[in-house]
């Protein structure tokens, strides 16, 4: 079976800083993989590399066996960035944000058709934001903003969803909504790679775990990843 993501010997540098060093892993289709590592361990850089938004010093990324550019072009991959990297003052409504997920399917005119509006309505419904659709994105809570971006990925109908810290700064209600949704998306055959600091939720949610610290310390099922020794390696503390 072709891997949803295949990363081979990836090294990424920002000037003098080596953010990722010889990173290799595969993500199996229709699974939820948790990407765990302390701040600065390279999680966001890994997302940017998988998307093709940063140029690696070495190594290669494949998405469903194609280049990341081809995967983006065919709407195979959706990316929900970390909240810190989004400009929340940008004057767009929740509906506009979700509609952005359809841009790649609209052609040059960017004029939404019936199918686009229907996909946006369905995605808003799934994340429970129908009533807030005309609100400005900046006026939402952290959890509602995350749900809006997840809805953008759903509207895009991507097979692979890359979620950078979907639970950070999120209230319990939104976390539960997102968790249920991710399980449904997996059941539909979609593949999810999510980074999180919420280790407690990992065994129930994730099929597979990658422990990252500039390179891959470990990849395997949650019960093997979340041992005291391995967590000490990844986070530098005993839990
Ligand atoms: N645009 C950038 N320019 C320079 N250094 C960066 C940049 N982005 C990240 N870094 C550095 O790369 C390392 C990994 O950062 P990052 O990928 O954001 O980790 P994480 O998401 O796990 O916190 C850190 O040392 C960080 O300071
Ligand atoms: Mg990050």
């Amino acid at each position: 079976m072709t891997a949803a993501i295949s990363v081979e010997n990836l090294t990424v540098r920002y000037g003098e800083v080596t953010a990722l060093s010889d990173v290799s892993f595969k993500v199996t289709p229709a699974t939820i993989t948790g990407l765990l590592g302390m701040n600065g361990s390279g999680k966001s850089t890994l997302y940017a590399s998988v998307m093709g938004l940063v140029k690696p010093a070495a190594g290669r990324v494949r998405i469903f066996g194609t280049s990341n550019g081809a995967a983006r072009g065919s709407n195979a991959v959706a990316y929900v960035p970390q909240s810190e990297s989004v400009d929340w003052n940008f004057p767009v409504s929740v509906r506009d944000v979700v509609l952005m997920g359809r841009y790649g399917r609209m052609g040059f005119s960017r004029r939404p058709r019936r199918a686009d509006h229907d996909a946006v309505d369905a995605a808003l419904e799934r994340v429970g934001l129908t009533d807030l659709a005309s609100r400005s994105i900046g006026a939402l809570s952290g959890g509602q903003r995350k749900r809006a971006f997840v809805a953008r990925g759903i509207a895009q109908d991507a097979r692979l969803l890359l979620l950078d810290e979907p639970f950070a700064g999120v209230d319990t209600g939104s976390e539960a909504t997102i968790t249920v949704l991710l399980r449904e998306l997996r059941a539909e055959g979609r593949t999810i790679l999510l980074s999180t600091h919420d280790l407690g939720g990992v065994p129930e949610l994730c099929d597979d775990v990658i422990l990252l610290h500039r390179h891959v310390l470990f990849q395997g099922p949650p019960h093997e990843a979340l041992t005291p020794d391995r967590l000490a390696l990844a986070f530098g503390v005993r839990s």
Side-chain angles (χ1 to χ4, degrees):
M1 182 167 40
T2 308
I5 306 173
S6 168
V7 169
E8 290 168 20
N9 309 109
L10 185 74
T11 295
V12 176
R13 295 197 187 93
Y14 300 106
E16 301 280 274
V17 177
T18 300
L20 295 173
S21 171
D22 201 25
V23 166
S24 297
F25 65 89
K26 282 183 168 41
V27 171
T28 306
T31 61
I32 300 178
T33 298
L35 179 63
L36 310 184
M38 57 196 269
N39 284 334
S41 62
K43 300 181 297 295
S44 295
T45 300
L46 183 58
Y47 281 108
S49 309
V50 170
M51 284 300 284
L53 304 174
V54 300
K55 193 171 150 38
R60 164 174 119 128
V61 172
R62 306 291 282 175
I63 297 176
F64 297 112
T66 71
S67 71
N68 39 23
R72 285 213 312 271
S74 66
N75 284 294
V77 56
Y79 172 44
V80 178
Q82 213 175 326
S83 296
E84 287 79 351
S85 66
V86 176
D87 176 7
W88 297 109
N89 295 316
F90 200 68
V92 288
S93 70
V94 172
R95 195 179 174 80
D96 292 336
V97 166
V98 180
L99 188 61
M100 284 172 198
R102 302 296 298 180
Y103 278 4
R105 298 180 187 275
M106 282 182 206
F108 285 116
S109 74
R110 291 227 168 140
R111 186 170 300 144
R113 293 162 184 265
R114 185 57 190 259
D116 300 310
H117 288 304
D118 288 350
V120 169
D121 288 340
L124 285 166
E125 183 76 41
R126 284 189 81 171
V127 302
L129 287 180
T130 303
D131 294 343
L132 299 180
S134 52
R135 279 264 183 102
S136 155
I137 188 83
L140 299 189
S141 72
Q144 290 166 338
R145 289 171 178 179
K146 281 289 176 194
R147 277 150 58 194
F149 272 74
V150 172
R152 185 180 70 172
I154 292 172
Q156 190 186 330
D157 198 19
R159 298 159 69 194
L160 172 63
L161 289 145
L162 305 175
L163 310 176
D164 197 355
E165 304 207 8
F167 302 123
V170 161
D171 57 287
T172 327
S174 284
E175 174 160 355
T177 304
I178 293 169
T179 300
V180 169
L181 200 55
L182 296 181
R183 290 208 185 93
E184 287 174 8
L185 293 167
R186 174 180 57 188
E188 291 170 10
R190 299 180 207 275
T191 311
I192 293 150
L193 177 67
L194 64 91
S195 65
T196 180
H197 290 120
D198 175 21
L199 300 185
V202 166
E204 256 199 79
L205 182 61
C206 298
D207 305 295
D208 202 29
V209 170
I210 294 168
L211 297 179
L212 189 72
H213 189 93
R214 280 196 294 279
H215 61 276
V216 175
L217 298 170
F218 178 80
Q219 181 176 16
H223 70 275
E224 287 179 30
L226 303 181
T227 62
D229 285 353
R230 292 207 166 110
L231 289 178
L233 257 184
F235 292 94
V237 287
R238 302 243 158 209
S239 69

